Amino acid sequence: MLRYGDNARQLPSHLLQFAQEKKPVVVWNVGQRCNLRCVHCYAHAGAGAADELSTDEGKRLIEDLAGFGVPVLLFSGGEPLLRADIMTLIAHARAHNLRAVLSSNGTLITPAVAAQLKELGLAYAGISLDGLEATHDRFRGVKGAFHQALNGIRHCKEAGIKVGLRITMHRGNIDDLPGLFDLLFEEQVPRICCYHLVCSGRGAALSAEELLHAETRRAVDFIIERTAEYHRVGFPVEVLTVDNHCDGPYLYLRLLRENPARADEVLRLLRMNGGNSSGIGIGCVSWDGQVYPDQFWRNRALGNIRDRAFSRIWTDTDQPLLAGLRARKALLSGRCARCRWLDICNGNFRARAEAATGNPWAPDPACYLRDDEILL
């Protein structure tokens, strides 16, 4: 990245967070149906919704996104593979030169499904594991879901599809994190995304399970140390932490102590990344056409693609929330307003701040940096 630049069209998907231009990666919740019943589902997935976008509406959305310059379309749900025309929609995205990514629970990825996804040119499949077998099955509400998901991961690998694990970290599963990293190595899965909990949708019921700041710091330290260990032994796994943007400054401060030369490079990358990108570099389209600043902020619709194209909604400078997100530094209050990492973190996760305080510009309560680490 530092050597070759930051043009989004030339970057692999896993480096898009460093792109100079911030055309959004779009998460499309193609349906609300799901064959599992996950306790932390932000989309309230289950039986499904009657007002899902039709195939033709979906194709028009894809064409608009491609014309707008969106670099990646992430097909999500519910469980996207339950949608009857999902392969048609993925094919349409690929025909319009969109990188297509799938977010799945993995249980429906048979060898035949994996082969079809590979033939269509799917760039990546992210498969959720909430922990090891007992933990995962409990949180997913279906016995056997863990082994079905693991088989889905193996089928993707066998078909030649890049695949990764996804875990949302909280008190109910954090003890399984080392075991999941062991599994990552044993199965030689090339990527893992560790999400910090955002209490939206059914996830609001998990607010009591949020990690304390000290627990979060221990989890991030473990992730850093295990990643370094794997790279030392020749396993170049991609490891991401997601939805808590103080992770970047935390990593930098640790590198200042342990590897100052590398710390300077990391600081340059963090500035290129720009921190939280809700309403800027990521957006969400729901099954009913509603557009949101990100996939977790479900109470803040910006418009509906049945009324106006996504590209028009996204460029509407009169939309108050979008305008605020793109000029948020002047609106943030409390610790965020005084933080020396504001250019790197960009105020962290605004949906979480609003859920906790009712104010979208209040400090994010999940920021675990101490005052002596952030204050100017």
Side-chain angles (χ1 to χ4, degrees), residues 37-44 129-131 135-136 138-141 167-174 195-212 215-216 296 352 355-356 366:
R37 191 70 181 174
C38 309
V39 296
H40 59 314
C41 179
Y42 68 79
H44 283 290
L129 285 180
D130 293 306
T135 303
H136 180 81
R138 182 173 73 252
F139 275 92
R140 295 274 153 175
I167 177 175
T168 300
M169 302 181 295
H170 49 78
R171 283 183 166 182
N173 66 3
I174 199 64
Y195 284 76
H196 294 269
L197 178 66
V198 180
C199 294
S200 64
R202 284 202 297 267
L206 284 180
S207 59
E209 297 293 317
E210 289 183 278
L211 297 177
L212 300 176
E215 294 169 326
T216 303
F296 296 100
R352 186 189 286 118

Side-chain angles (χ1 to χ4, degrees), residues 139-170:
F139 275 92
R140 295 274 153 175
V142 174
K143 189 172 178 57
F146 176 83
H147 285 294
Q148 291 172 16
L150 186 56
N151 284 334
I153 292 165
R154 291 167 175 165
H155 297 327
C156 285
K157 286 193 65 187
E158 290 161 2
I161 297 170
K162 184 177 179 180
V163 64
L165 307 184
R166 303 166 72 248
I167 177 175
T168 300
M169 302 181 295
H170 49 78

Side-chain angles (χ1 to χ4, degrees), residues 28-62:
W28 178 16
N29 299 112
V30 297
Q32 203 179 14
R33 287 183 63 205
C34 191
N35 57 327
L36 303 182
R37 191 70 181 174
C38 309
V39 296
H40 59 314
C41 179
Y42 68 79
H44 283 290
D51 54 351
E52 294 172 1
L53 297 176
S54 68
T55 302
D56 287 343
E57 287 173 321
K59 286 182 174 181
R60 287 195 294 272
L61 168 64
I62 288 167

